[in-house]
Amino acid sequence: VQLQASGGGLVQPGGSLRLSCATSGFTLDDYAIGWFRQAPGKEREGVSCIDRHDGSIYYADSVKGRFTISTDNVKNILYLQMHNLKPDDTAVYYCAADSYGVECHPDDYDFWGQGTQVTVSS
């Protein structure tokens, strides 16, 4: 199982970014997958996850209405579309997968990509 995140960068407040996570070694439909982030001095937190067991999608309260998680099951890519970005969204963003993954919590995910830095600043 391999994951590789990309698409981070520097953006002004109110701007948008789309993160991508190229995956291999597993089928997206069969795994729980999600995006997590870690800001300096803070614990890693779940941003948005897809539970493949029931198809439910989780969003952290702080990103609801601004971020959208999606997949391209043909290309095996996971996306995170981010709109109306705020300085508090500044963090290293990680994509992760797990064969079970009950909750959108880092402890529930075994497979991780390298992070991509998102910086929101004027």
Side-chain angles (χ1 to χ4, degrees), residues 15-86:
S16 299
L17 278 177
R18 188 178 76 162
L19 304 183
S20 299
C21 177
T23 71
S24 62
F26 68 102
T27 302
L28 286 178
D29 280 343
D30 293 338
Y31 273 59
I33 48 176
W35 290 96
F36 299 78
R37 67 186 181 186
Q38 187 165 18
K42 294 187 177 181
E43 293 186 352
R44 192 172 298 187
E45 63 175 354
V47 175
S48 181
C49 297
I50 301 175
D51 182 344
R52 289 305 184 181
H53 298 285
D54 62 9
S56 60
I57 296 178
Y58 165 87
Y59 290 102
D61 287 344
S62 58
V63 307
K64 282 181 182 176
R66 300 188 298 121
F67 291 10
T68 303
I69 191 171
S70 64
T71 61
D72 183 328
N73 287 2
V74 175
K75 297 180 179 179
N76 293 321
I77 300 176
L78 172 69
Y79 297 104
L80 184 69
Q81 180 67 57
M82 305 184 293
H83 294 298
N84 190 23
L85 283 160
K86 304 175 180 180

